[in-house]
Amino acid sequence: MKVLVTGGAGFIGTNFVYHLLRMHPQDEVIVLDKLTYAGNLENLKSLSAEPRFLFVKGDICNRDLVQSIVQKVDAVVHFAAESHVDRSIVDAQTFLMTNIIGTQTLLDACRTAKSVRFHHVSTDEVFGSLGIRGSFRESTAYDPRSPYSASKAASDHLVRAAFHTHNLPITISNCSNNYGPYCFPEKFIPLAITNCLEGKKVPLYGDGMNVRDWIFVEDHCAGIDAILRRGKIGETYCLGGRSERTNREVLQQILFELGKSEDTIECVTDRLGHDRRYAIDFSKAEQELNWSPETPFLHGLRRTIEWYRTHEDWWKRIKNGDNQNVLKK
Ligand code: NAD
Ligand code: DAU
């Protein structure tokens, strides 16, 4: 199968490219990535001599470019997005452009190409915020509450509309919080690890009791791959990590692993509209695809810490380089 991976120079996209090339020796991969602040070609440098891999720098909103690439592939796995909630609160415009218009541009191109399979990578944040009990599942009503999640919700609707209106062979996944190698250090876990390694404090929003369900990125990639190959056309699958933790618990574990004291925690003003809790019921993916997350949280967290320990050059270049104007922490 020849697969177009949009956003393949970002966190999950990078992990997915390596997953595909490792697990499917017949597959070929084209990455289309604009290389925004979050995209990093260095992530893919070990593939420069790989004959099954091609990188194209470009914007998913560029109709001509997208059309010319989509015609060459059997499937599109669509990761490209503006992905950070805090940024969407400060300025939502690029989120609307990439996440909504960019997704529609890809769908339009798939429609004019011959039978291209389209998998849309989305988020559990489209479902809103949970109380103490309950979990999101495929039938949960949409209730996005940040500009980021609203833009992702819009993109999900457009993908479903392409299925119902044009019979496009699509699937959608809504996944919980990922962690692991190559995650840009503005997200909570890599920010906490790298700040600790630099001897800095770690900002904890509000009372630190917001809950996320953490999934190791390789488990997410395996889930997407399972949907791409075995998922039912037109269907949505929720993917989760079976690892609900408060932010305070996650941070305390990181501090423990790195031998830091609780003084490292800096309680700061809460995020505007901060969703309280996410949790995922992934039984549909378990039953239909025989997929479930395999990495226990502590194991995945230790692998992640080790990766950041051994890849100081990678994150220090980001933290000290051109991106420092947008990284306030
Ligand atoms: P990321 O921010 O690390 O990477 C996004 C990538 O998309 C970057 O390489 C960037 O350069 C590229 N990109 C952005 N705008 C583009 C454009 N207009 N054209 C082409 N490329 C563009 O994001 P991530 O954390 O890897 O998330 C990937 C996808 O998974 C997103 O769609 C996100 O909504 C979804 N998701 C993320 C998580 C998570 O915890 N990170 C969880 C569930 C779903
Ligand atoms: O649930 C899936 C989503 O997970 C994805 O769709 C998003 O792309 C991804 O960024 C992530 O969104 P969150 O907002 O949950 O992730 P973030 O890492 O920004 O924050 C995780 C939690 O930690 C959240 O409750 C806010 C809190 N936090 C975050 C930062 C950056 C802090 O307490 N301090 C911080 O400095």
Side-chain angles (χ1 to χ4, degrees):
M1 181 152 55
K2 198 163 186 169
V3 186
L4 169 61
V5 178
T6 71
F11 164 40
I12 310 175
T14 293
N15 282 280
F16 187 70
V17 168
Y18 284 114
H19 171 95
L20 275 188
L21 293 172
R22 191 174 61 244
M23 301 302 287
H24 304 286
Q26 308 303 325
D27 279 9
E28 293 174 45
V29 175
I30 300 178
V31 164
L32 173 61
D33 198 298
K34 188 180 175 182
L35 297 181
T36 67
Y37 79 93
N40 191 343
L41 205 45
E42 195 189 338
N43 297 358
L44 303 167
K45 71 171 182 230
S46 69
L47 299 174
S48 55
E50 170 56 64
R52 296 188 291 134
F53 175 75
L54 178 70
F55 178 82
V56 179
K57 181 171 188 262
D59 193 325
I60 56 165
C61 300
N62 179 336
R63 294 184 80 84
D64 292 342
L65 176 65
V66 165
Q67 202 135 21
S68 70
I69 301 174
V70 164
Q71 270 163 11
K72 297 184 187 131
V73 299
D74 306 302
V76 176
V77 181
H78 177 34
F79 292 92
E82 287 295 332
S83 69
H84 193 48
V85 174
D86 290 330
R87 285 175 191 261
S88 79
I89 293 167
V90 176
D91 180 5
Q93 291 296 322
T94 51
F95 287 73
L96 308 193
M97 189 52 76
T98 289
N99 300 1
I100 304 176
I101 303 297
T103 300
Q104 186 60 45
T105 306
L106 284 161
L107 292 168
D108 291 344
C110 288
R111 195 153 66 79
T112 54
K114 236 171 94 189
S115 70
V116 177
R117 175 84 169 76
F118 188 90
H119 179 72
H120 179 57
V121 181
S122 192
T123 170
D124 61 354
E125 299 199 10
V126 299
F127 300 123
S129 183
L130 293 163
I132 299 167
R133 271 178 285 280
S135 42
F136 302 133
R137 52 186 310 157
E138 291 77 7
S139 56
T140 303
Y142 275 43
D143 183 23
R145 293 152 49 100
S146 74
Y148 162 69
S149 54
S151 69
K152 291 297 289 186
S155 67
D156 291 11
H157 291 316
L158 291 169
V159 174
R160 263 183 218 111
F163 168 68
H164 290 292
T165 310
H166 300 295
N167 217 12
L168 204 77
I170 65 94
T171 43
I172 297 175
S173 50
N174 295 98
C175 187
S176 60
N177 284 61
N178 285 226
Y179 67 103
Y182 301 106
C183 188
F184 194 86
E186 66 185 349
K187 306 277 166 71
F188 184 50
I189 286 186
L191 178 77
I193 295 170
T194 57
N195 273 19
C196 284
L197 292 174
E198 291 181 300
K200 292 183 185 167
K201 287 189 179 279
V202 180
L204 184 65
Y205 294 171
D207 63 3
M209 296 308 283
N210 299 62
V211 173
R212 297 292 182 263
D213 170 22
W214 293 96
I215 181 170
F216 192 59
V217 64
E218 288 175 11
D219 287 334
H220 184 193
C221 291
I224 293 169
D225 195 14
I227 298 169
L228 185 63
R229 287 163 213 268
R230 304 192 294 280
K232 201 169 151 212
I233 298 302
E235 292 289 309
T236 293
Y237 295 88
C238 283
L239 305 175
R242 208 190 271 121
S243 298
E244 277 187 57
R245 301 279 187 286
T246 65
N247 294 333
R248 189 175 286 278
E249 284 170 333
V250 169
L251 185 49
Q252 282 169 334
Q253 190 66 49
I254 291 170
L255 298 181
F256 176 77
E257 298 296 324
L258 289 169
K260 298 282 175 185
S261 78
E262 299 238 344
D263 294 345
T264 309
I265 300 176
E266 185 179 15
C267 291
V268 298
T269 311
D270 208 353
R271 172 185 281 173
L272 294 176
H274 196 174
D275 288 343
R276 193 61 171 170
R277 177 173 162 258
Y278 305 144
I280 291 270
D281 173 351
F282 54 82
S283 51
K284 177 176 172 182
E286 220 169 10
Q287 283 155 24
E288 291 187 17
L289 308 170
N290 195 24
W291 172 89
S292 58
E294 288 179 356
T295 313
F297 182 69
L298 189 52
H299 180 73
L301 187 64
R302 285 181 176 156
R303 278 183 64 185
T304 305
I305 290 172
E306 192 51 28
W307 191 86
Y308 282 89
R309 257 196 223 277
T310 53
H311 289 76
E312 271 203 4
D313 285 356
W314 184 91
W315 58 262
K316 280 201 166 153
R317 255 198 294 280
I318 293 170
K319 281 188 138 179
N320 302 328
D322 292 342
N323 290 309
Q324 66 187 352
N325 55 333
V326 291
L327 280 168
K328 297 182 292 291
K329 303 156 187 164

